[in-house]
Amino acid sequence: MEQRFSRESRCFKTSRIFPTDVNNHNTLFGGKLMSYIDDIASIAAHKHCRRSVVTASTDSVDFLSPIHTSDSVCLESFVTWTGKSSMEVFVKVVTEDLKSGERKIAATSFLTFVALDENKVPVEVPDVIPETEEEKKLHESAPHRAEMRRIRRVESKKLASFFTMKYPWE
């Protein structure tokens, strides 16, 4: 099977925070950041497998520090681990106060993408080879996250079977 280095999928996105991007606390709206995260993660997944990809799950988004209008936000993403047709993508969000230069990890996220062929059928993806300490740590801990995803998916399906699909007025 083909293999690719984590660095081959690595990509970055830097954005300025404008007043229209913030919530009532005057910090970056979480949904806006989540959109940035899904966007850059999908690019990393696509670069890794060179196929169309779909988001299978947003496994976690941990908001660690608020992001203010005086900040820029830099997202870094790369593939950390692969299954047969799935890829785990890590996104690190670093905020920088543009006045002081102070940087903080503002958020971290793990997402899972599935590669698709021309007929939108899942297709095998290359294995990933970690090189840096950060990549190795994330790669080594990925099987545990994959097992937690599997368990959560089973539980989600059970729970979904309980829900009604009727409109309130029906």
Side-chain angles (χ1 to χ4, degrees):
M1 182 64 192
E2 188 179 355
Q3 295 181 321
R4 293 214 170 95
F5 293 102
S6 286
R7 68 178 140 80
E8 294 179 79
S9 66
R10 191 176 303 270
C11 43
F12 300 89
K13 173 185 184 75
T14 302
S15 294
R16 178 174 217 128
I17 308 306
F18 290 104
T20 56
D21 299 326
V22 300
N23 57 29
N24 58 313
H25 302 289
N26 209 32
T27 58
L28 181 63
F29 179 57
K32 181 82 168 186
L33 183 60
M34 290 169 70
S35 175
Y36 287 164
I37 287 169
D38 190 48
D39 180 42
I40 195 153
S42 72
I43 294 169
H46 202 133
K47 286 175 69 172
H48 180 76
C49 66
R50 297 298 176 187
R51 298 269 191 172
S52 291
V53 298
V54 292
T55 309
S57 69
T58 299
D59 306 329
S60 66
V61 178
D62 295 313
F63 300 98
L64 305 173
S65 294
I67 302 169
H68 304 281
T69 53
S70 59
D71 297 335
S72 68
V73 64
C74 181
L75 292 86
E76 175 185 356
S77 69
F78 55 91
V79 173
T80 59
W81 187 78
T82 58
K84 183 174 180 170
S85 62
S86 64
M87 294 159 281
E88 179 188 79
V89 178
F90 174 67
V91 180
K92 175 174 50 177
V93 180
V94 177
T95 185
E96 180 178 347
D97 183 309
L98 292 172
K99 293 177 184 170
S100 70
E102 180 185 2
R103 292 181 178 176
K104 294 180 188 170
I105 302 290
T108 59
S109 183
F110 287 96
L111 300 90
T112 302
F113 288 83
V114 173
L116 302 175
D117 68 11
E118 303 76 29
N119 299 313
K120 299 184 180 176
V121 175
V123 62
E124 284 189 44
V125 297
D127 289 336
V128 66
I129 304 168
E131 296 175 287
T132 69
E133 290 304 310
E134 188 174 67
E135 292 166 357
K136 289 175 184 176
K137 173 73 171 171
L138 292 170
H139 188 266
E140 289 167 6
S141 56
H144 174 71
R145 288 188 300 277
E147 179 61 16
M148 295 296 102
R149 275 191 295 275
R150 188 193 64 73
I151 292 168
R152 191 178 67 245
R153 190 171 37 254
V154 168
E155 292 301 315
S156 291
K157 285 182 180 181
K158 284 182 192 174
L159 193 57
S161 70
F162 172 76
F163 296 129
T164 180
M165 290 176 271
K166 294 182 178 181
Y167 290 109
W169 55 86
E170 293 183 324

